[in-house]
Amino acid sequence: MALQIILNLVIAIMWMFLAETYSVVSFLKGFIIGALLLFMLRRFIPDAFYLTRVWKMIKLVLLFIKELLISNIDIVKWVYKPHKDYKPGIFALPTELKSNWEITMLTSLISLTPGTLSVSVSNTNDTIYIHAMDIDTTEEAIEAIKTTFEDAIMEVTR
Amino acid sequence: MTETIEFILDIFVIVFLITGTFFVLSASIGVIRFPDVYTRLHASTKAATLGIAGIMIGAFIFLYAEHGIVSGKLILGIIFVLLTAPVSAHMIGRAAHSSGVKPWSHDGKTRDAYADSLAEKKQQ
């Protein structure tokens, strides 16, 4: 992955020197040409083509923004409800992710999903404790969402 | 032609600023109305994040349309708020829990799996 990024940057800078225009536009042109070359020569370069991983990262960010929007509408509904008819509580959610980086991503994603807020991670890194605004409905909903989050994170990190 | 484009951009600026301030206002009302630390954190992290992002996007479009400035600082601000808000909420929630704040409950029975597992560990 690092090798491919360096190759792509070198091709972009070489393109800048060959075209003899030292601007952002010509750098971007060179970058696109380098990406195309790397894509065509992907069978001869170690590791998978790196822009697919970048694309998955962008998808993860889009998922993040989508969940943020949904959760905001939810929280505003709760703010303006006249009665306190929600049932908050803390529940445990087992996770299959291992490294610190992955668990940080998952807890941040969970904190921004509707009605949930990660409170703590167990010492063995296998359970996340989540505070929910409405524990009965969200506990099932989050079980369903969790796998899509975990898959999206694993595609980026592994 | 340029006038219509400016008009459309103005509408975008207005929409972003109004939604941003609306979410920030709702967040502050939520902080007052919700019963305990955890539920208040819900309001302050989520709504405030989107509110600040909305205001900053509005300011970004305004600067670009009126003065032709592409302000990278505003984009960086959005990214850092998005990165830090969930982490700070996690830390405040954890600190509150370890200093003994019990989650509020509608019927007085607190449902707290984290406290249960901590108690189990102490018994072993």
Side-chain angles (χ1 to χ4, degrees), chain A residues 96 142-152:
Chain A
E96 288 143 34
I142 208 75
E143 290 281 346
I145 288 176
K146 188 194 77 163
T147 45
T148 55
F149 282 168
E150 284 187 340
D151 289 346

Side-chain angles (χ1 to χ4, degrees), chain A residues 8-150:
Chain A
N8 204 344
L9 287 177
V10 165
I11 293 169
I13 289 165
M14 269 169 66
W15 180 260
M16 241 162 63
F17 277 92
L18 287 172
E20 293 196 329
T21 46
Y22 307 102
S23 65
V24 181
V25 178
S26 71
F27 181 83
L28 281 179
K29 268 186 206 163
F31 193 84
I32 291 165
I33 288 166
L36 276 175
L37 279 175
L38 280 177
F39 180 70
M40 283 190 289
L41 299 172
R42 65 190 182 281
R43 283 175 55 205
F44 308 104
I45 298 169
D47 294 337
F49 183 52
Y50 85 100
L51 282 180
T52 53
R53 192 176 262 200
V54 173
W55 173 240
K56 276 168 189 162
M57 259 181 226
I58 293 169
K59 262 185 170 166
L60 187 65
V61 170
L62 287 180
L63 182 73
F64 209 79
I65 292 169
K66 194 189 100 193
E67 293 296 335
L68 183 66
L69 285 174
I70 297 172
S71 72
N72 268 286
I73 292 159
D74 261 34
I75 211 87
V76 167
K77 267 187 211 156
W78 272 314
V79 166
Y80 293 117
K81 259 183 194 168
H83 304 291
K84 290 179 184 143
D85 58 351
Y86 38 80
K87 306 180 178 81
I90 296 177
F91 65 90
L93 180 79
T95 176
E96 288 143 34
L97 300 174
K98 292 284 181 296
S99 68
N100 288 339
W101 168 243
E102 289 170 341
I103 288 173
T104 312
M105 289 295 299
L106 184 67
T107 49
S108 312
L109 266 174
I110 284 170
S111 284
L112 292 177
T113 48
T116 52
L117 185 87
S118 60
V119 172
S120 183
V121 181
S122 70
N123 290 333
T124 46
N125 274 6
D126 58 0
T127 318
I128 299 172
Y129 295 98
I130 296 169
H131 181 270
M133 280 297 275
D134 209 350
I135 192 165
D136 296 321
T137 51
T138 40
E139 194 164 2
E140 291 155 20
I142 208 75
E143 290 281 346
I145 288 176
K146 188 194 77 163
T147 45
T148 55
F149 282 168
E150 284 187 340

